[in-house]
Amino acid sequence: MSTNALFAPFALKSLQLKNRIVMAPMTRSFSPNGVPGPDVAAYYRRRAEGQVGLILSEGTVVERPASSNDPNIPHFYGEQALAGWQHVIDEVHAGGGKMGPQLWHMGVMSENGSGWKPSEAFEGPSGLLKPGQATGKVMTENDITDTIAAFGRAAADAKRLGFDCLELHGAHGYLIDQFFWAGLNQRTDSYGGDELTARSRIAVELVEEVRRQVGEDFVISLRLSQWKQQDYDVKLAHSPQEMEAWLRPLADAGVDIFHCSQRRFWEPEFENEGSDLNFAGWVKKLTGKTTITVGSVGLSGEFLAGFAGEASEPRSLDELLRRLDRNEFDLVAVGRQLIVDPNWVEKIQQGRSDEMKGYSREALSTLV
Ligand code: FNR
């Protein structure tokens, strides 16, 4: 099957991409004291030169107490870290690429499980804290206001440094997602409530603030997941109706792209709807917004079988192309394949499948 659909250009507001392939945000922990150095810049430049359409940075934390749990995770604040990021974006541009930082606050998962959290009670299937761990600090309304402002400052910096777009990390059980999740957000003020839409208020305000900082033409992506890092089998929205109620206010607040995190792009989002649309497919259908799909693109069955203890058959690129062709989503993010092989995109384009490198966890120990 022709890979042309993957190599069609894409334009949204001020963002112009040469193809549909996005490098998924992936923490690498190679930024001592939160400062990305020349090795990190060179790593991203190699992906730009390898024809990745859009690079999303590894999660980079905003300036709040307890936003990180690892001194080697990059900051997106402070003179030194921002100078590092300036070098990164300049290198990516010199390599012919486009890039946005993924702005992050870990919430209770910061400070190794004792960070900031939406509420005292942690219930339900997605308990983030192990028994005996410190319970962290419940965020006050002032903490929330200050955190929203910190995301706003980071967004303004992203634009000032010359990044092409930005992404907010609202997925995988980190701060924003902790507010979405009923078992974690049992606040009784206006940032909590029985409805998912009520628990989305922090995300809506955050998007509004970021939009105020970057203006109308700058693309804002919001990464969301139904699953949590700690718990794969949960869902925030159980039906298309719930999903629409969740996402409409976020779209109205200024999200341009929903980056729909799934572990496997071929898994249907709602089993009972008589449709094989995946998460990104449903979100595009319900919001009319641009969506990015992700999840096991290019990975081997052998590798997938070892992931989360489940056997799984990989799906070929053909299935991805078929879905892209029918406009199920707009862009395709690739994670682990791009950790191990900066030239993976080029190889796909040129049909050099015999040169593909298989992913293994050992690849995480160096910046190839
Ligand atoms: C990730 N992922 C991730 N996601 C995110 O939103 N922010 C992040 O900082 C990270 N960090 C991260 C590190 C590493 C080492 C891996 C492997 C993954 C998830 C990632 O973006 C992607 O969604 C998954 O890896 C699934 O895509 P692939 O790898 O199957 O193509």
Side-chain angles (χ1 to χ4, degrees):
M1 194 170 171
S2 153
T3 58
N4 286 352
L6 273 177
F7 293 96
F10 181 79
L12 178 65
K13 296 187 171 176
S14 60
L15 184 66
Q16 319 257 333
L17 305 179
K18 63 182 156 204
N19 62 44
R20 305 304 179 98
I21 301 170
V22 177
M23 179 175 178
M26 282 176 295
T27 293
R28 299 306 311 272
S29 300
F30 281 93
S31 300
N33 302 314
V35 178
D39 53 341
V40 173
Y43 159 83
Y44 284 118
R45 181 175 177 155
R46 284 194 286 280
R47 275 76 192 157
E49 288 172 344
Q51 305 303 319
V52 172
L54 173 65
I55 296 169
L56 292 171
S57 80
E58 60 205 286
T60 169
V61 296
V62 300
E63 183 178 15
R64 289 313 300 146
S67 58
S68 180
N69 67 5
D70 176 348
N72 297 307
I73 283 177
H75 298 167
F76 209 81
Y77 61 88
E79 211 175 306
Q80 274 189 305
L82 291 178
W85 283 115
Q86 179 73 70
H87 186 55
V88 170
I89 187 60
D90 290 348
E91 286 293 301
V92 165
H93 284 161
K98 299 281 167 82
M99 184 171 189
Q102 188 193 50
L103 304 178
W104 193 17
H105 188 302
M106 294 188 192
V108 77
M109 280 155 69
S110 62
E111 302 193 336
N112 297 314
S114 60
W116 283 14
K117 59 184 182 176
S119 61
E120 202 53 68
F122 270 70
E123 288 177 4
S126 191
L128 296 182
L129 297 178
K130 297 190 187 82
Q133 269 183 325
T135 49
K137 175 186 188 288
V138 174
M139 289 175 80
T140 63
E141 290 206 20
N142 274 344
D143 292 334
I144 291 177
T145 307
D146 290 349
T147 301
I148 290 170
F151 272 96
R153 283 194 300 278
D157 283 334
K159 186 173 177 187
R160 180 175 58 78
L161 296 183
F163 282 93
D164 303 286
C165 62
L166 64 82
E167 178 163 286
L168 303 172
H169 194 344
H172 304 166
Y174 294 104
L175 182 73
I176 298 171
D177 198 13
Q178 285 158 28
F179 274 80
F180 289 145
W181 188 245
L184 308 181
N185 179 356
Q186 301 188 350
R187 296 179 75 95
T188 51
D189 66 5
S190 58
Y191 290 99
D194 291 341
E195 299 295 325
L196 182 49
T197 43
R199 299 190 303 273
S200 300
R201 181 174 162 204
I202 188 172
V204 167
E205 291 187 0
L206 219 149
V207 172
E208 286 169 349
E209 173 60 13
V210 167
R211 175 59 70 208
R212 262 194 296 278
Q213 295 295 332
V214 298
E216 267 315 305
D217 210 33
F218 196 78
V219 166
I220 301 173
S221 168
L222 174 64
R223 195 165 217 224
L224 298 173
S225 63
Q226 292 261 37
W227 64 280
K228 316 290 147 220
Q229 208 158 230
Q230 304 71 20
D231 195 332
Y232 294 124
D233 300 317
V234 296
K235 274 195 191 300
L236 287 171
H238 296 90
S239 66
Q241 293 71 28
E242 274 184 23
M243 187 173 272
E244 189 169 11
W246 174 33
L247 300 181
R248 176 58 49 203
L250 290 163
D252 291 345
V255 171
D256 297 302
I257 300 180
F258 287 105
H259 187 172
C260 302
S261 173
Q262 255 188 308
R263 293 165 65 214
R264 297 176 180 128
F265 72 84
W266 55 88
E267 284 174 353
E269 185 56 39
F270 298 116
E271 302 276 359
N272 300 327
E273 295 293 323
S275 157
D276 69 346
L277 287 183
N278 73 9
F279 184 22
W282 274 105
V283 174
K284 185 171 166 68
K285 181 182 159 102
L286 294 170
T287 65
K289 293 286 177 185
T290 296
T291 61
I292 308 178
T293 196
V294 68
S296 304
V297 175
L299 294 176
S300 73
E302 195 188 347
F303 176 74
L304 288 176
F307 189 56
E310 284 174 41
S312 177
E313 286 303 310
R315 298 292 169 94
S316 66
L317 218 49
D318 283 357
E319 165 136 14
L320 186 76
L321 288 160
R322 184 175 63 73
R323 288 171 181 264
L324 187 59
D325 242 0
R326 74 178 184 192
N327 219 13
E328 183 171 338
F329 36 75
D330 304 280
L331 300 165
V332 174
V334 179
R336 287 163 288 182
Q337 271 308 126
L338 281 170
I339 282 189
V340 75
D341 189 353
N343 300 110
W344 184 81
V345 177
E346 215 172 48
K347 290 177 186 174
I348 293 285
Q349 188 165 26
Q350 296 167 2
R352 290 153 55 199
S353 52
D354 51 323
E355 293 175 39
M356 297 296 182
K357 295 183 186 158
Y359 175 79
S360 73
R361 287 187 180 81
E362 287 76 69
L364 292 176
S365 60
T366 50
L367 286 178
V368 178

